[in-house]
Amino acid sequence: MSNEFRVRELVLGIQGLALLRNAMDGEEKFLKERVEDIRRFASGDGELPAGDADVSELGLAEGYASWSAVYDSLPNSYIEVEEPVLHGILDTLPAGTALDAACGTGRQTGALVARGHRTIGVDQSPEMLAKAGERAPEAEFRVGRLESLPLEDDSVDLAVCSLAMTHLPDLAAGVAELARVVRPGGRILVSDLHPFVIALQGQCVFVHDSDRLAFVRNHVHLPGKYLEAFTAAGLRVRACHEPLFNGRLAPGGYEEFIADAALAAWDGLPIVVVWDVEVPAQA
């Protein structure tokens, strides 16, 4: 894939977002600093992290094969705000047969196993599944895509899809597959990067091939699109949670390099959305 941008564009964008969000009520010193930083970075005078490297787009297969090596190694604000919400819901549910759809390195697979579920993890990336198998050896793992799950109809009591649905250009197929495999009366938990974050910046940048920067594309899905997909699949929404940014910037990343601007840009914004939906019980 040929799409790419540069670290300079990311830095300027965060500075601009911080300025925009504080233009009316921000302190004069802070606003002047943002304007000056924008001037410096735009003119090329400001030093940039990673030497203003290219950030290239990778497809799902190549991207997750590469990302699997470092996915669990750094603190992640999205995970830190998502897990208390999602795991809090899991704690209220009885043990049964559970699916971790697009399971990645098995973060939620392990959480399901720990709560007594017979758990099946599905992912299209063999590299991710290898990591998941190390984390949750008690689980069963299958290679498969979110849009075409390798499970029979009505075969699980619970499905979890964590921070993955945003990779689909269209939610409908993924949501329909989750609804297909969950029994009547069962639950589906979907967490994603919040559409605010994706619309503003939301491509997760990681190191690829040791020294290159890359991202796997996230697509903006507004709440109405989720509701449309849930309704089309015959699902009923129980709750929607929107945990806020917790102040954690990725260590060593470009945002930490411009921490004042980055913290101001994301302050008070929801960065994750967690949907709690159910398959209606049969009459």
Side-chain angles (χ1 to χ4, degrees):
M1 305 184 73
S2 61
N3 292 340
E4 63 180 33
F5 50 89
R6 299 182 70 83
V7 170
R8 184 182 307 277
E9 295 161 14
L10 290 171
V11 168
L12 285 169
I14 295 295
Q15 294 282 358
L17 179 58
L19 182 61
L20 177 65
R21 294 198 64 212
N22 289 273
M24 291 183 62
D25 301 315
E27 294 183 359
E28 189 66 21
K29 180 177 181 293
F30 176 85
L31 299 178
K32 287 181 177 179
E33 288 174 348
R34 302 288 69 76
V35 171
E36 179 56 30
D37 280 350
I38 290 170
R39 287 196 184 111
R40 287 193 303 111
F41 291 124
S43 67
D45 292 337
E47 181 185 354
L48 288 161
D52 195 19
D54 292 333
V55 184
S56 301
E57 180 177 0
L58 299 179
L60 284 175
E62 182 184 7
Y64 272 98
S66 174
W67 206 357
S68 65
V70 297
Y71 191 85
D72 295 320
S73 63
L74 293 174
N76 185 313
S77 60
Y78 302 108
I79 290 173
E80 289 173 354
V81 303
E82 178 236 32
E83 282 192 345
V85 175
L86 196 147
H87 291 179
I89 300 170
L90 291 181
D91 288 340
T92 69
L93 302 179
T97 301
L99 164 68
D100 186 5
C103 66
T105 59
R107 181 170 59 92
Q108 305 300 357
T109 311
L112 291 165
V113 168
R115 287 162 174 77
H117 296 278
R118 172 185 171 266
T119 305
I120 303 166
V122 173
D123 201 278
Q124 68 170 358
S125 169
E127 293 82 3
M128 286 287 192
L129 287 175
K131 296 286 186 181
E134 295 173 0
R135 173 176 280 179
E138 309 92 335
E140 176 187 348
F141 294 98
R142 303 177 187 179
V143 177
R145 300 180 65 87
L146 185 54
E147 314 95 300
S148 182
L149 294 168
L151 282 83
E152 296 182 355
D153 295 358
D154 302 338
S155 57
V156 300
D157 303 294
L158 166 67
V160 174
C161 181
S162 178
L163 304 181
M165 197 74 76
T166 55
H167 293 316
L168 300 182
D170 183 1
L171 292 169
V175 170
E177 276 294 274
L178 295 177
R180 178 183 66 81
V181 303
V182 175
R183 299 182 181 110
R187 295 278 278 279
I188 298 172
L189 304 179
V190 175
S191 71
D192 263 332
L193 299 191
H194 199 282
F196 282 5
V197 171
I198 300 173
L200 291 171
Q201 184 269 65
Q203 309 308 324
C204 295
V205 178
F206 61 95
V207 177
H208 171 61
D209 283 349
S210 299
D211 59 354
R212 294 162 51 204
L213 298 178
F215 71 98
V216 176
R217 183 171 296 275
N218 293 308
H219 298 272
V220 175
H221 300 306
L222 297 177
K225 287 296 182 182
Y226 287 97
L227 293 173
E228 185 178 296
F230 293 146
T231 300
L235 302 173
R236 182 165 54 221
V237 176
R238 295 173 57 94
C240 175
H241 306 271
E242 298 174 288
L244 304 181
F245 175 58
N246 66 351
R248 166 87 76 174
L249 300 176
Y254 71 92
E255 288 191 323
E256 193 175 58
F257 183 80
I258 52 168
D260 287 350
L263 291 171
W266 304 123
D267 181 50
L269 289 184
I271 60 171
V272 170
V273 60
V274 181
W275 294 94
D276 178 3
V277 303
E278 62 184 358
V279 181
Q282 294 178 338

